[in-house]
Amino acid sequence: MFISIAAVMWYLNHLNAIYMNDINVPIKVRGMAGVDKSNPDGSFDVVCQVRANGYTLMLMNLFPSYAALELSAADLTVSIDPTDSSYYSINLRSLERAISSQIKGVELIGVLNNEVRIRSDKYAEKIVPLKPIIKFDQNGQYMQLGPTVLEPSAIVIKGPVKNVAAIDYVETMPLVVGLDKHDYVGIVPLQEPKGVETSVHEVRYNVDIDRFTEYKRIKKVAVRGASGDFIVLPESVTVKYNVAVSRIFKIENEELKAYIDYDRSNIKGDDGYLGDNRFLVKLDGLFNGIGQIDISPRYVTVLKESDQK
């Protein structure tokens, strides 16, 4: 009995040591659907050389589910097998990186397979832009300068062809930022589309803000798009707008100009024409840092002097 107990204690003590061994790792790849009815998830096995304590190695060898991993297609470099288009070859370096990031309590030495192929449904990948759903909650005399900047501004999506083709952009999660929370720079998760895998799951955002001041100017309305003499009623409009403090110098260098587009050959197709010789007043010289623009009156009546004779 004592010899048996001693043998068990010796064995358990040796399981605490670190060993290097080859184990079979079942892998399933999210974003790659198998074409075989017997293997609908497109899973496959790889042989990995690992370093771990004896307990972990024993569990991995006795219970394959303990060693099983689920990887993302976005973390793998995949190419169509030149000998059979229904198979895809997985780059071994990318596979090793993906396994290392997922496997727990084990050091991966390397994948021992000479090649790894997976029989999968038609698979594709493409780069799509990101769309920020981020709103700046204006507080007091502050305004947002330009659009919200995301880093990265585009990501790679991977998955079945039909799923990838249906996606033109990926949005961030809705977010409202404000000065009181000091969160106009930070990290925001993505709204990950169903049926595909994304190369990243969150991005960095930057909302550029500045204090603003209000300006009011009276501008004479110019007529563009036609030659001749015109009567504009009223001849001037009042323009009110907010200007970021850091952009005030541009007001002197790039003065705003009020105008209307007058082109009788395209008058029906011009969204600035309201009918009855009335035209919407537009502004030229706008720049990043001007906001909350109000033009009064919003439209003017334009008559050509030759039409009045």
Side-chain angles (χ1 to χ4, degrees):
M1 182 182 67
F2 287 111
I3 293 175
S4 299
I5 293 174
V8 170
M9 295 298 294
W10 177 87
Y11 182 73
L12 293 176
N13 183 61
H14 274 68
L15 285 178
N16 284 319
I18 301 299
Y19 300 93
M20 192 165 65
N21 196 13
D22 299 343
I23 60 171
N24 192 68
V25 179
I27 291 178
K28 174 184 175 182
V29 180
R30 298 191 309 272
M32 297 189 74
V35 297
D36 295 329
K37 292 183 179 180
S38 60
N39 187 22
D41 60 3
S43 58
F44 57 94
D45 295 343
V46 294
V47 179
C48 297
Q49 188 176 65
V50 299
R51 182 183 289 115
N53 65 53
Y55 286 106
T56 301
L57 292 175
M58 182 179 68
L59 289 172
M60 292 180 124
N61 281 297
L62 293 177
F63 307 101
S65 60
Y66 185 83
L69 297 175
E70 184 172 309
L71 307 180
S72 169
D75 296 329
L76 301 174
T77 301
V78 180
S79 59
I80 297 177
D81 192 305
T83 61
D84 188 341
S85 61
S86 64
Y87 280 87
Y88 292 85
S89 297
I90 299 178
N91 178 272
L92 294 181
R93 290 296 182 91
S94 70
L95 180 60
E96 289 177 347
R97 287 194 298 268
I99 292 175
S100 295
S101 67
Q102 294 294 322
I103 201 165
K104 305 299 181 184
V106 174
E107 179 188 355
L108 177 68
I109 305 301
V111 173
L112 300 182
N113 302 61
N114 292 325
E115 65 174 8
V116 175
R117 300 196 310 162
I118 178 173
R119 191 158 187 255
S120 176
D121 195 2
K122 288 189 178 296
Y123 166 87
E125 59 181 78
K126 71 177 181 181
I127 299 175
V128 295
L130 294 178
K131 181 178 179 181
I133 310 299
I134 300 175
K135 180 181 178 182
F136 173 59
D137 184 14
Q138 294 188 1
N139 185 2
Q141 292 292 108
Y142 286 85
M143 66 186 298
Q144 180 174 344
L145 300 181
T148 300
V149 176
L150 298 179
E151 180 61 40
S153 60
I155 61 171
V156 177
I157 60 172
K158 299 183 179 183
V161 170
K162 61 180 181 180
N163 294 349
V164 170
I167 298 172
D168 296 321
Y169 59 86
V170 173
E171 297 180 337
T172 67
M173 294 296 290
L175 182 66
V176 178
V177 301
L179 285 172
D180 55 334
K181 296 181 288 185
H182 301 285
D183 61 353
Y184 40 90
V185 174
I187 303 294
V188 60
L190 300 179
Q191 298 187 53
E192 299 184 30
K194 293 182 179 180
V196 300
E197 293 294 311
T198 58
S199 57
V200 298
H201 307 292
E202 59 184 20
V203 294
R204 185 172 183 82
Y205 70 87
N206 181 14
V207 181
D208 191 10
I209 63 171
D210 194 6
R211 188 181 294 276
F212 70 83
T213 186
E214 185 177 273
Y215 274 77
K216 181 167 71 173
R217 295 286 188 271
I218 297 176
K219 297 293 181 181
K220 188 172 181 178
V221 180
V223 177
R224 296 182 180 178
S227 59
D229 296 323
F230 296 88
I231 299 174
V232 181
L233 302 172
E235 66 176 5
S236 299
V237 295
T238 300
V239 182
K240 291 194 297 185
Y241 50 92
N242 297 334
V243 180
V245 172
S246 61
R247 304 291 196 273
I248 289 179
F249 72 95
K250 284 196 171 186
I251 295 178
E252 300 176 357
N253 299 332
E254 301 180 35
E255 186 67 22
L256 297 182
K257 296 178 178 61
Y259 71 96
I260 62 98
D261 284 323
Y262 190 98
D263 185 353
R264 286 197 177 276
S265 63
N266 190 33
I267 221 168
K268 292 182 180 179
D270 186 0
D271 60 0
Y273 182 63
L274 304 178
D276 297 329
N277 295 317
R278 297 180 305 165
F279 293 81
L280 284 175
V281 178
K282 302 178 181 180
L283 291 178
D284 192 10
L286 294 174
F287 55 84
N288 184 9
I290 287 185
Q292 297 293 323
I293 301 170
D294 178 68
I295 304 173
S296 180
R298 190 65 187 89
Y299 65 87
V300 294
T301 300
V302 179
L303 302 174
K304 196 169 186 178
E305 286 194 348
S306 59
D307 294 340
Q308 306 304 306
K309 296 180 180 179

